[in-house]
Amino acid sequence: MKSEKLYEGKAKILYPTESQEILLTYFKDDATAFNAQKKGQIKGKGEINCTISAALFEMLGQLGIPTHYIDRPAPNQMRVKAVKILPIEVVVRNIAAGSLCRQTGLPEGKELPQPLVEFYFKKDELQDPLLTDDRLFLLELATPNQLEEIKNMAKAINKHLQEFFQDCNIILVDFKLEFGIDHTGKIILADEISPDTCRLWDAMEGDATAKILDKDRFRRDLGNVESAYQEVQQRILSQMAKNKEQS
Ligand code: UDP
């Protein structure tokens, strides 16, 4: 590497490549929470999140979900299709946790009768507020057709991920997705899917705190952050290897 950065976010840096249609993403060890009020590092996170995201994007691609993933030239680097990222955080929830509990009073851990798909406005200075469909249209963040397509994709992704994580003995509590529009106008899954962007609970552990295998360990100062991320990576990779053997 390294040419001029195109963009640096909280967890990743984007570089241009020789092709206008391809970008190189570099995953950092930096960790932030609470709209970057809390900052730190999680050793090895860049490699782990890049490895996990690549594996999940590859799996979702094989299941018919279009993603921006191309390949992983180094453990912490991912080549992706260049897209225009929609400024919407799409959150899918299977179990009540986090802001859903804080804002509605639902008890943490309550299983939802059906997956809940929510949209948040990706705007740090407004603290990423929850959007209604009408607010989303008002702000021209997506058309009704695009929104419908995103909702359907988010539900399909949830179904695939839930099934896969179940095989890893991990409960997929909730997660955040970002979508982009490619040069043909098609909506594709972008960003990352990792313990930074998902709530993942160990299905085998009894204790509520011990079972947390995601960024909540960092957010809530629970310790053993690196080992939780490593555990998720290890379970995902060994389950993928098993699935490959069977196919
Ligand atoms: N999330 C994320 N980025 C954000 C906000 C949320 O990746 O900027 C993920 C978060 O890790 C969790 C899910 O989206 O898996 C739902 O987060 P929630 O709305 O409960 O927010 P929080 O309680 O983390 O503030």
Side-chain angles (χ1 to χ4, degrees):
M1 284 204 315
K2 289 249 162 118
S3 43
E4 200 72 7
K5 288 174 201 175
L6 261 188
Y7 171 81
E8 178 157 5
K10 293 171 207 149
K12 298 189 285 299
I13 308 174
L14 272 187
Y15 294 95
T17 68
E18 283 103 73
S19 163
Q20 278 209 331
E21 284 166 26
I22 299 175
L23 300 177
L24 184 71
T25 311
Y26 168 85
F27 284 66
K28 301 192 283 186
D29 284 356
D30 297 353
T32 63
F34 313 119
N35 205 8
Q37 285 173 48
K38 182 182 169 96
K39 288 193 180 125
Q41 287 238 323
I42 301 173
K43 205 168 148 275
K45 176 173 87 79
E47 285 194 20
I48 294 176
N49 281 0
C50 184
T51 305
I52 292 175
S53 291
L56 295 175
F57 281 144
E58 210 171 318
M59 178 187 84
L60 290 169
Q62 285 163 2
L63 292 164
I65 305 285
T67 84
H68 72 159
Y69 175 71
I70 300 172
D71 59 15
R72 192 175 56 115
N76 62 349
Q77 291 170 28
M78 188 187 285
R79 291 200 315 145
V80 299
K81 292 176 197 155
V83 293
K84 193 170 153 273
I85 294 281
L86 295 170
I88 305 170
E89 300 199 332
V90 181
V91 169
V92 185
R93 303 178 188 272
N94 298 306
I95 292 178
S99 69
L100 180 66
C101 299
R102 290 198 301 274
Q103 292 172 10
T104 65
L106 278 173
E108 177 168 282
K110 186 182 163 56
E111 205 169 309
L112 306 181
Q114 59 195 39
L116 180 65
V117 181
E118 297 180 325
F119 302 98
Y120 293 83
F121 190 17
K122 207 178 141 164
K123 213 167 185 57
D124 283 343
E125 57 271 37
L126 298 177
Q127 277 99 46
D128 298 349
L130 181 66
L131 289 167
T132 60
D133 287 13
D134 284 342
R135 281 190 183 184
L136 216 142
F137 301 142
L138 173 73
L139 299 174
E140 296 181 358
L141 300 178
T143 65
N145 282 342
Q146 286 175 328
L147 191 64
E148 196 56 29
E149 199 178 330
I150 291 170
K151 278 184 190 169
N152 289 337
M153 276 168 79
K155 285 181 201 162
I157 293 164
N158 181 48
K159 210 165 144 270
H160 296 313
L161 290 180
Q162 238 189 339
E163 245 175 64
F164 175 73
F165 276 114
Q166 197 171 18
D167 291 341
C168 301
N169 271 311
I170 290 174
I171 300 165
L172 179 62
V173 174
D174 59 29
F175 57 98
K176 185 261 302 184
L177 301 172
E178 291 185 28
F179 291 87
I181 302 192
D182 74 5
H183 69 287
T184 69
K186 190 169 139 184
I187 296 178
I188 65 177
L189 178 62
D191 195 46
E192 66 177 286
I193 307 177
S194 72
D196 268 10
T197 62
C198 300
R199 281 199 173 90
L200 303 167
W201 291 352
D202 193 338
M204 295 186 293
E205 284 279 351
D207 180 77
T209 305
K211 68 183 182 184
I212 295 171
L213 296 176
D214 55 66
K215 198 162 119 181
D216 274 348
R217 298 207 76 81
F218 170 77
R219 291 189 188 100
R220 293 163 55 182
D221 290 321
L222 300 176
N224 299 325
V225 188
E226 288 90 356
S227 58
Y229 276 59
Q230 280 162 7
E231 178 68 24
V232 173
Q233 169 172 259
Q234 190 267 321
R235 288 201 207 174
I236 288 176
L237 294 183
S238 65
Q239 187 56 41
M240 292 227 165
K242 269 190 215 161
N243 289 354
K244 270 204 185 114
E245 258 170 44
Q246 282 163 13
S247 67

